[in-house]
Amino acid sequence: SMEGKEKVVAEEPVLLPDKAIWHPVAPEIVFENNGKYFEWYDKEFCPLAGIDPKTAPTIGLILQKSHINTKDDTHYVSLISELESRGARVVSIYSGGLDFSGPVEEYFYDSAGRAVVDTVINLTGFALVGGPASQDHKKAAQVLKRLNRPYMCAVPLVFQSFEEWQSSELGLHPIQVALQVSLPEIDGAIEP
């Protein structure tokens, strides 16, 4: 019987768009265009964070929507906070699929077609276009060539712990080297 018990009211789920710009302290969960994002970021966030939007380098981050949906985003929040504490502006984009070329082309350029990022870091653990089973390196290379900015891929330790990696004579697990170092290099990544 439910008599005498507090009634629990379920909240409606928040549905995120398939691609957008995300920032962990933004008043809106996501921004669907970079004009609105930079209006908030440059005018409200940067002054409070001590970042000069006119002179600060801008780092573009590529994220996975699944980590944002599930709030498994501590690694994202940590990197964003660290970059901003060092005076950089950050624009973090995500995609619901494994083709990140669309969000790169939509959010890393201003309305005049000029790149708004100085460097890009891919935190997905995947190639720019495609997952472990299938990639489109030609498309990725075209997108990155047009952007013409340094592109780096972070390598998350998913097949071994930090301690295992540190003590290993082999280094990264061979599957991880193939998926998260070699394939991104074919796209044009300059660092693992």
Side-chain angles (χ1 to χ4, degrees):
S1 165
M2 295 297 292
E3 193 172 318
K5 295 188 179 174
E6 187 178 329
K7 186 177 180 181
V8 176
V9 179
E11 290 184 30
E12 287 295 314
V14 176
L15 299 177
L16 298 179
D18 193 50
K19 62 181 178 180
I21 301 171
W22 174 80
H23 193 282
V25 301
E28 298 180 37
I29 294 175
V30 296
F31 297 86
E32 293 190 68
N33 70 63
N34 64 4
K36 288 183 181 178
Y37 173 75
F38 284 118
E39 184 177 320
W40 165 77
Y41 191 79
D42 290 347
K43 292 180 182 173
E44 294 182 40
F45 179 81
C46 285
L48 295 173
I51 299 169
D52 181 352
K54 292 184 178 95
T55 61
T58 302
I59 311 300
L61 299 179
I62 301 173
L63 316 175
Q64 283 186 285
K65 179 183 178 186
S66 60
H67 289 290
I68 296 164
N69 266 344
T70 60
K71 303 216 182 308
D72 178 23
D73 57 10
T74 305
H75 55 304
Y76 294 164
V77 174
S78 296
L79 182 59
I80 291 167
S81 298
E82 182 65 25
L83 291 169
E84 290 172 339
S85 75
R86 294 173 182 234
R89 293 166 72 223
V90 177
V91 55
S92 304
I93 63 171
Y94 72 78
S95 175
L98 293 176
D99 182 348
F100 300 94
S101 63
V104 165
E105 292 182 318
E106 188 169 338
Y107 303 128
F108 286 171
Y109 292 92
D110 65 16
S111 58
R114 294 179 300 252
V116 296
V117 295
D118 297 301
T119 286
V120 175
I121 304 171
N122 183 336
L123 298 175
T124 68
F126 296 109
L128 186 68
V129 181
S134 171
Q135 304 81 38
D136 187 342
H137 301 295
K138 186 175 181 179
K139 181 178 181 181
Q142 288 172 337
V143 168
L144 293 172
K145 187 174 184 174
R146 177 176 174 243
L147 187 62
N148 195 26
R149 297 295 188 267
Y151 172 69
M152 296 176 271
C153 292
V155 179
L157 290 175
V158 293
F159 294 101
Q160 62 202 118
S161 70
F162 181 77
E163 292 76 19
E164 290 170 331
W165 167 76
Q166 206 170 30
S167 64
S168 171
E169 290 182 23
L170 183 62
L172 288 174
H173 190 282
I175 293 173
Q176 192 160 8
V177 171
L179 294 177
Q180 297 177 325
V181 177
S182 300
L183 292 177
E185 282 181 349
I186 294 170
D187 290 349
I190 57 171
E191 292 287 336

